[in-house]
């Protein structure tokens, strides 16, 4: 098909132009599901060809694929409500007025990150900083994207369920969606990891790690937490992600089984917070976990208002457009061998424009 060939050429050009060493994509549309693989999964210490089964470090896409989905599963099972206090489930957290909803919408007042995360020596040191962190702005007065909030959400999942986050996500999210190659890699269990299946990320060199990361989480906070965290740490493939996209586009149903209720899917597409920008109608906007369209949409300018999307620092993204009836994911390792390469930022929207224009369900040709 010409539309698929055109998409392939866009990704090939991106590899040639150094936007990333390699990338895999999947598009789920009324025309079918299409996927392909290009470039290298590693260029250092040796060049290795990419393949469609390569597993990528999902970085902050962990927040939506895993943590948000786990929270919504607990909500559907009657184990929590969005307006519960975080301290109800994480008693060490000092801010008693911050709610689960606040964390999901990044409007809690929490800072974006923990300073000097690469120098953290233990999980306990990280938690001490998180539980006692000072707020940076008045709650509900702004949107500040916060890893700290999603680390807390991961702890909420664990404390309510009595299960480690990776085990809960596997049992209640990934296995039911047949995402059998998706999961967290515990740093303490690396003997069982086949590193050749993974795309290499950054060459990290500090007091904690000195190696090219591969099959080990790139994010420093998730690393010190042992590889399992609410904000980062997930690895996945485009084939697995296509199952998640299919479920969302089908109003929560996957292969004839209800995974999420229609009410839950509707809620995920509902904007919760926004920051106006003068006369602009396109504003910063978020839902629960997901970004809902908004300005500078990583899915492109042609996405509809009913679009949820998210990106990951390592070079990953997911976009699901409910009105155009198309979802896609592009997984890359743009941080290999260094995070200094930021060419992917404008590229995401350009390739998104092509996908919506050529695979969107409102087209009649």
């Amino acid at each position: 098909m010409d539309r698929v060939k055109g998409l392939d050429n866009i990704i090939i050009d991106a590899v040639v132009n150094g936007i990333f060493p390699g990338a895999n994509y999947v598009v789920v549309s009324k025309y079918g599901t299409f996927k392909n693989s290009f470039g290298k999964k590693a260029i250092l210490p040796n060049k290795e060809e990419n393949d469609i089964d390569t597993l990528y470090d999902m970085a902050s896409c962990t927040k939506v694929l895993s943590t948000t989905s786990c929270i919504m599963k607990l909500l559907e099972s009657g184990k929590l409500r969005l307006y519960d206090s975080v301290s109800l489930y994480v008693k060490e957290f000092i801010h008693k007025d911050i709610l689960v909803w606040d964390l999901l919408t990044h409007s809690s007042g929490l800072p974006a990150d923990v300073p000097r995360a690469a120098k953290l020596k233990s999980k306990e040191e990280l938690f001490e900083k998180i539980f006692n962190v000072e707020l940076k702005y008045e709650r509900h007065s702004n949107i500040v994207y916060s890893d700290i909030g999603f680390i807390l959400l991961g702890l909420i999942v664990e404390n309510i369920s009595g299960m480690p986050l990776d085990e809960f996500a596997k049992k209640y999210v990934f296995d039911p969606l047949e995402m059998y190659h998706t999961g967290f890699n515990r740093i303490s269990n690396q003997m069982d990891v086949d590193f050749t299946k993974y795309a290499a990320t950054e060459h990290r060199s500090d007091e904690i790690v000195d190696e090219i990361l591969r099959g080990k989480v790139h994010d420093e906070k998730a690393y010190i937490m042992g590889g399992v965290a609410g904000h980062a740490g997930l690895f996945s493939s485009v084939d697995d992600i296509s199952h998640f996209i299919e479920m969302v586009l089908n109003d929560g149903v996957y292969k004839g089984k209800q995974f999420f209720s229609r009410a839950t899917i509707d809620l995920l597409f509902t904007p919760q917070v926004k920051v106006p920008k003068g006369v602009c109608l396109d504003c910063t906007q978020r839902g629960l976990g997901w970004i809902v369209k908004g300005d500078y949409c990583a899915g492109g300018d042609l996405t509809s208002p009913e679009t949820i999307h998210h990106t990951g620092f390592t070079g990953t993204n997911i976009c699901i457009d409910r009105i155009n009836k198309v979802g896609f994911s592009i997984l890359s390792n743009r941080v290999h061998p260094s995070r200094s390469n930021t060419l992917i930022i404008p590229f995401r929207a350009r390739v998104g424009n092509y996908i919506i224009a050529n695979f969107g369900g409102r087209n009649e040709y």
Side-chain angles (χ1 to χ4, degrees):
M1 298 172 69
D2 288 344
R3 60 174 62 90
V4 176
K5 185 180 295 184
L7 178 55
D8 288 351
N9 288 337
I10 291 174
I11 306 296
I12 291 169
D13 287 347
V15 173
V16 170
N17 292 322
I19 292 176
F20 34 62
N24 292 354
Y25 77 77
V26 66
V27 176
V28 179
S29 72
K30 75 171 189 178
Y31 302 103
T33 296
F34 307 95
K35 54 188 175 181
N36 214 337
S37 177
F38 302 95
K40 304 289 191 293
K41 68 172 83 172
I43 57 175
L44 292 175
N46 301 302
K47 292 181 179 180
E48 297 178 39
E49 293 296 320
N50 202 5
D51 63 75
I52 200 65
D53 296 319
T54 296
L55 297 169
Y56 283 86
D57 183 334
M58 297 302 297
S60 283
C61 287
T62 302
K63 292 180 173 74
V64 289
L65 280 176
S66 177
T67 309
T68 299
S69 296
C70 289
I71 289 290
M72 300 312 288
K73 278 293 180 184
L74 291 172
L75 183 149
E76 287 193 337
S77 63
K79 299 295 179 61
L80 65 69
R81 64 171 187 162
L82 296 178
Y83 299 100
D84 284 338
S85 169
V86 173
S87 63
L88 180 64
Y89 306 112
V90 183
K91 300 189 184 305
E92 303 90 338
F93 186 56
I94 64 171
H95 300 288
K96 306 304 179 184
D97 61 335
I98 292 181
L99 310 178
V100 174
W101 184 92
D102 301 336
L103 302 185
L104 285 165
T105 58
H106 298 280
S107 64
S108 64
L110 290 170
D113 209 347
V114 175
R116 298 175 292 281
K119 294 184 179 297
L120 293 168
K121 297 295 195 299
S122 68
K123 179 170 69 173
E124 290 71 27
E125 181 185 359
L126 173 63
F127 285 173
E128 174 69 19
K129 293 179 181 296
I130 288 174
F131 295 152
N132 297 287
V133 67
E134 292 184 8
L135 300 185
K136 293 299 183 182
Y137 60 98
E138 184 180 350
R139 186 168 68 105
H140 299 166
S141 67
N142 202 358
I143 300 171
V144 176
Y145 180 75
S146 177
D147 279 359
I148 294 173
F150 268 77
I151 291 173
L152 288 165
L153 287 167
L155 295 178
I156 288 172
V157 173
E158 294 190 338
N159 291 344
I160 291 178
S161 68
M163 299 172 64
L165 177 63
D166 55 338
E167 293 181 14
F168 184 90
K170 182 179 188 301
K171 181 175 181 179
Y172 292 103
V173 179
F174 305 136
D175 282 356
L177 293 175
E178 299 180 321
M179 298 172 68
Y180 298 130
H181 303 290
T182 298
F184 297 84
N185 288 342
R186 289 185 173 271
I187 301 299
S188 61
N189 197 29
Q190 294 290 304
M191 293 294 291
D192 297 330
V193 176
D194 180 0
F195 294 104
T196 64
K197 295 180 179 179
Y198 293 83
T201 57
E202 192 169 23
H203 182 193
R204 181 176 171 185
S205 183
D206 52 45
E207 297 174 16
I208 307 299
V209 181
D210 186 10
E211 63 179 300
I212 295 173
L213 295 172
R214 192 168 183 182
K216 298 179 182 180
V217 61
H218 175 264
D219 180 89
E220 294 93 343
K221 299 181 296 301
Y223 191 100
I224 209 66
M225 288 177 67
V228 181
H231 71 295
L234 195 68
F235 291 83
S236 191
S237 67
V238 289
D239 188 57
D240 276 13
I241 292 172
S242 72
H243 301 175
F244 189 94
I245 293 171
E246 179 185 332
M247 177 273 295
V248 174
L249 288 175
N250 201 33
D251 292 330
V253 175
Y254 178 72
K255 289 192 173 180
K257 295 182 179 179
Q258 198 82 43
F259 176 79
F260 276 143
S261 68
R262 172 65 185 267
T264 297
I265 297 297
D266 288 345
L267 186 58
L268 291 178
F269 280 91
T270 303
Q272 303 289 322
V273 291
K274 65 179 179 179
V275 177
K277 296 184 177 181
V279 299
C280 299
L281 296 180
D282 219 6
C283 58
T284 300
Q285 184 172 258
R286 285 189 172 270
L288 299 176
W290 295 86
I291 305 167
V292 183
K293 183 56 189 285
D295 57 352
Y296 297 96
C297 177
D301 312 297
L302 297 177
T303 50
S304 79
E306 292 192 39
T307 297
I308 55 175
H309 62 102
H310 213 283
T311 62
F313 185 82
T314 50
T316 58
N317 77 304
I318 307 166
C319 179
I320 309 173
D321 186 329
R322 201 178 193 185
I323 292 178
N324 281 304
K325 300 177 183 177
V326 60
F328 60 91
S329 177
I330 300 172
L331 306 184
S332 81
N333 54 341
R334 70 96 190 167
V335 295
H336 180 60
S338 168
R339 68 179 66 193
S340 62
N341 179 7
T342 59
L343 296 173
I344 196 171
I345 294 174
F347 168 80
R348 283 180 172 134
R350 292 198 299 266
V351 71
N353 286 339
Y354 179 89
I355 291 170
I356 299 298
N358 289 275
F359 294 86
R362 289 188 286 176
N363 294 326
E364 296 302 323
Y365 58 95

